[in-house]
Amino acid sequence: MSAKAVREYDGKLLLAHWLHRAPIPATEESNTGVNGSSSSSKFIQPTTRLAHVSVDTSLLAKDKAQFEQSVRSTLDQLEVLHPWLLTHKLVAKPDQLIKRRGKSGLLLLNAEWAEARAWIEARAGKDVHVDSVDGVLKTFLVEPFVPHPSNTEYYICINSDRDGDNILFTHEGGIEVGDVDAKALKLQVKVQDAFPTSEAIRSTLLVNVPETKHDILVDFIIRLYAVYIDLHFTYLEINPL
């Protein structure tokens, strides 16, 4: 089975569109709420705010000044297209399938737009080395910064193997998540299994999460897995959730 990686920008747009649209298979649970959940606290999707920055690095070989002007022009246009850039604290990062960006100094947090665009201008077209991979930075993502306590960060991953799908969840997420294969709780959905029930998700994955957050997390995980199977994903990871 072949699989194709997508950028974070595209993945987030897919989720933003499909989280409330993907069909949720019925289970043996009652029909109240989402997939049998009688929760009064459901996942409410926030407004999607994503700014995609793509620069033409081919200009570097011709004229460095022209390349720098092209980057500035791209960022100027972004301000017009996304006026929220001027009013929100921001996160900026490369969007090129790079893992562990925070540990590689490739993550800007809690920045004004002037700081974010200066950060991008300083890195656009530059060579970087991450782990064993070398490359040129040419695609960036800017989005609102959402302040939160570190103990509210979770980790979720859904992946597929020959036996079915695996939903991994841990109540500890973020840059220091560590070995998730060793620490995450796992719900396996075998090929012929029915769609997991709300209770299966709650009792298997959320045992270390405060009960007050169970309803909204169950709702979100159900919707996330529905998108995963409807769009034929083979791997989906959110860290931190």
Side-chain angles (χ1 to χ4, degrees), residues 94-129:
D95 189 10
Q96 297 178 207
L97 312 181
I98 301 172
K99 289 191 173 185
R100 292 175 287 278
R101 288 168 291 187
K103 290 190 174 182
S104 301
L106 296 176
L107 181 62
L108 178 69
L109 299 173
N110 198 18
E112 302 285 353
W113 170 238
E115 300 172 79
R117 67 171 292 159
W119 189 88
I120 293 171
E121 288 177 24
R123 287 160 180 77
K126 297 296 191 297
D127 294 309
V128 293
H129 177 85

Side-chain angles (χ1 to χ4, degrees), residues 154-158 165-172 180 183-189 196-210 213-214 217-222 224-225 241:
Y154 305 119
Y155 169 92
I156 187 167
C157 172
I158 310 175
D165 300 328
N166 304 294
I167 307 175
L168 285 73
F169 183 92
T170 175
H171 65 293
E172 297 173 337
V180 292
K183 69 196 301 186
L185 300 173
K186 183 170 78 171
L187 175 61
Q188 185 180 46
V189 186
T197 65
S198 299
E199 183 52 38
I201 293 171
R202 190 187 308 269
S203 61
T204 305
L205 300 178
L206 304 183
V207 293
N208 296 316
V209 176
K213 296 187 177 182
H214 280 198
L217 281 170
V218 166
D219 193 346
F220 178 78
I221 293 170
I222 285 172
L224 190 67
Y225 186 48
L241 169 64

Side-chain angles (χ1 to χ4, degrees), residues 7 51-57 70-71 74-75 78 138-140:
R7 298 186 190 278
H52 175 72
V53 184
S54 180
V55 300
D56 184 2
T57 54
S70 174
V71 173
T74 297
L75 296 172
L78 214 63
K138 55 185 177 182
T139 309
F140 298 84

Side-chain angles (χ1 to χ4, degrees), residues 127-163:
D127 294 309
V128 293
H129 177 85
V130 179
D131 293 336
S132 59
V133 179
D134 295 289
V136 178
L137 296 180
K138 55 185 177 182
T139 309
F140 298 84
L141 176 63
V142 185
E143 56 191 333
F145 173 72
V146 181
H148 58 275
S150 60
N151 64 356
T152 63
E153 294 184 334
Y154 305 119
Y155 169 92
I156 187 167
C157 172
I158 310 175
N159 60 53
S160 300
D161 56 31
R162 64 183 299 160
D163 297 319

